[in-house]
Amino acid sequence: MKEHFPKFMKETHLLGRLFLRRGLALGLLLAFALLLLGCYPDNPQSTFDPKGPVARNQLTLFWVIFWASVVVFAIVAGILIYSVIKFRYKGENRLPVQVHGNRNLEVLWTVVPALLLVAIAVMTVRTIFELDEAPSDDQLIVDVYGHQWWWEAVYPQYAVSTANEIHVPVGRDVTVNLISDDVIHSFWVPKLAGKEDVIPNEANDIWFRADEPGIYLGQCAEFCGIAHALMKFRVVASPMEEFEDWVASQQAPARQPANDEAARGLAVFNSKGCVACHTTTGGFDTAEVRDARTEGFLTGQPVTHGPNLTHFATRDVFAGAIADSTEGNLRAWLEDPEEFKPGNRMAALAPAFKDPSLRLSEEEITALIAYLQSLK
């Protein structure tokens, strides 16, 4: 037994090295695959397929810094590998030649990196100033509120608002004023512009321009609570005529229930207290309404600031843009909002989901769906 112990230890050591090498190779392969997947331009949230001048300028700056870093890495790694091979131990016991500094080399590896950093700094500062403000005098202004965990977009120039969808015309500069009443969020539409923090009690803004029609996916990029990953939104860019049609539809008066089922839904909406958090009377919520709801929430009342539902049926998504506005999804949402979107405020506060005696029946859910789908 004793004589076999060294052999056992040696085999264990070799086996450990084998697993280490294979693990390292597998890890590098996995990292390379994730890198390729993350950089795939056709990905809906890839930054390598810019669709506007802001994202394009930022990508250009990224490529300059990236390739400069690649060149530096190649030079440093090449010298390192050359040195390791050239001056490796060759079985000789004599002392290598001792070197005590080289002025030319020291000047070279000090000046060259400094010049490279200065060039990168100049390009970075120039890009920051170029992208600081929208160049056009005819900008679309959108006030975007980050809420836990959804987005509200208010258009003060048109007196309308929406939720989780930001409609913009193609080719027009859009300045977004970023506002938060709760915690820090981050506004990010990768194909149109970089990230910008949404900070309570601090004015912040960002601008972008969409060069072509499309739906550009965005999301909160700052951890903001339990449902942070479910706080998404869409930027819908359309030709000016279509955008003006959308604005006109949002400015239309709130619709009355078109049939008996929708009328029953309206009655359920009011009797269950949904109106405490949701507006359905058109326009956009005033600062007083918003502040009153926020104050109520902070003082422990069963109320918070919910999406304006006046024209809910014109939206393609809901619940933080995590689901399409289909009848099936609406039913699943109303049956069990906590299961549908864990951590949401409606499940935690609404009496219909907190008080078993007020629980929604299947008939009431059907009526509510009919009412919501009539809000065009």
Side-chain angles (χ1 to χ4, degrees), residues 39-63:
C39 299
Y40 191 60
D42 288 343
N43 187 292
Q45 291 185 287
S46 172
T47 57
F48 294 93
D49 182 32
K51 297 298 183 183
V54 176
R56 192 174 300 113
N57 281 4
Q58 292 170 337
L59 181 60
T60 299
L61 178 62
F62 166 81
W63 282 127

Side-chain angles (χ1 to χ4, degrees), residues 189-211:
V189 193
K191 287 184 181 292
L192 296 179
K195 303 173 186 176
E196 191 72 35
D197 282 350
V198 188
I199 305 173
N201 303 316
E202 181 172 323
N204 222 352
D205 63 74
I206 189 173
W207 77 274
F208 61 80
R209 182 171 68 232
D211 288 339

Side-chain angles (χ1 to χ4, degrees), residues 15 57 60 69 71 82 89 126 193 266 287 326 345 364 371:
L15 191 61
N57 281 4
T60 299
S69 302
V71 171
Y82 170 79
Y89 178 65
R126 187 181 67 180
L266 173 59
T326 64
R345 291 275 169 76
E364 290 174 328
Y371 172 59

Side-chain angles (χ1 to χ4, degrees), residues 162-186:
T162 185
N164 306 313
E165 291 182 352
I166 302 174
H167 288 254
V168 301
V170 171
R172 185 177 178 186
D173 293 350
V174 180
T175 292
V176 179
N177 298 315
L178 300 168
I179 307 162
S180 173
D181 293 328
D182 42 48
V183 299
I184 298 177
H185 303 280
S186 185

Side-chain angles (χ1 to χ4, degrees), residues 269-307:
F269 188 87
N270 291 328
S271 64
K272 296 293 183 179
C274 308
V275 69
C277 305
H278 299 286
T279 299
T280 57
T281 54
F284 60 90
D285 296 327
T286 63
E288 290 75 16
V289 171
R290 185 175 288 105
D291 291 345
R293 286 171 174 163
T294 301
E295 181 66 19
F297 173 75
L298 293 176
T299 56
Q301 300 177 39
V303 61
T304 189
H305 189 71

Side-chain angles (χ1 to χ4, degrees), residues 63-81 108-120:
W63 282 127
V64 169
I65 297 175
F66 174 79
W67 285 117
S69 302
V70 168
V71 171
V72 171
F73 174 79
I75 293 174
V76 173
I79 294 175
L80 176 63
I81 294 172
L108 181 67
W109 68 47
T110 300
V111 173
V112 171
L115 292 176
L116 183 62
L117 290 176
V118 168
I120 291 175

